[in-house]
Amino acid sequence: MVWWKHNRQACQSGQAEGPMPTPLPCPLCNGHAEAVMDSWTSGGYGYDCERWGCRCGECGYGYYGGNPLSPSDERQAIERWDQQVEEALKIIAEPLEECPSCHCVPKVGKSDGEAFLQCPECLKIARGGNPIETKDKWNRLCLQRKAMRLKAKRQAAQLERIIGKDAE
């Protein structure tokens, strides 16, 4: 696979009316984001795809445009980026869930250059491609574990009622 980036001004054709919106700043580093035309070639078999992506010029957070599902114009790429930033800011604003097993706050660890969250007691772990994905994954896993525990308690209470009725 080969990725390359085109000159933004050379690729603009038939812009929609009005000025091009400015992408929101990066939720990770507050850097400047830029919409970029990406191309992707697979194995030299003539499959080329040119679509728009949008990512931070400082830390690289964002998405590449070189696939058929990416936006076909710059305005759509910026709108998709802005939605992604708004979702990331919601995740950042959420409190970090404590481990449902041992009620500990997870610690941040690092292995092979990748950060992760891990419970210091039971060693449950969550990894993601970036800090936002990692936090979201940890919180979702904790909420799922809490829901499973609640369901198990309800089932146990129901079994106790059933067993209690049979004993009489």
Side-chain angles (χ1 to χ4, degrees), residues 22-34 55-61 81 85 88-89 92 132:
T22 303
L24 294 173
C26 176
L28 291 179
C29 69
N30 208 27
H32 175 70
E34 179 181 28
R55 54 192 171 271
C56 176
E58 317 265 327
C59 68
Y61 177 74
W81 165 263
V85 168
L89 292 174
I92 291 169
I132 295 168

Side-chain angles (χ1 to χ4, degrees), residues 11-118:
C11 294
Q12 291 177 343
S13 59
Q15 280 188 355
E17 63 279 342
M20 190 60 62
T22 303
L24 294 173
C26 176
L28 291 179
C29 69
N30 208 27
H32 175 70
E34 179 181 28
V36 180
M37 173 74 84
D38 290 320
S39 293
W40 181 65
T41 304
S42 178
Y45 294 109
Y47 176 76
D48 289 337
C49 184
E50 293 184 343
R51 297 292 181 139
W52 286 91
C54 196
R55 54 192 171 271
C56 176
E58 317 265 327
C59 68
Y61 177 74
Y63 65 94
Y64 287 87
N67 70 58
L69 300 176
S70 295
S72 58
D73 71 14
E74 183 178 13
R75 190 174 299 275
Q76 290 174 346
I78 293 172
E79 288 171 2
R80 180 173 164 188
W81 165 263
D82 289 348
Q83 290 173 349
Q84 183 176 341
V85 168
E86 289 171 7
E87 290 171 13
L89 292 174
K90 286 178 188 174
I91 293 168
I92 291 169
E94 291 175 0
L96 189 60
E97 294 284 332
E98 61 182 27
C99 179
S101 302
C102 50
H103 306 290
C104 292
V105 177
K107 303 284 185 208
V108 177
K110 195 170 186 179
S111 173
D112 298 326
E114 180 184 56
F116 58 88
L117 290 171
Q118 185 172 25

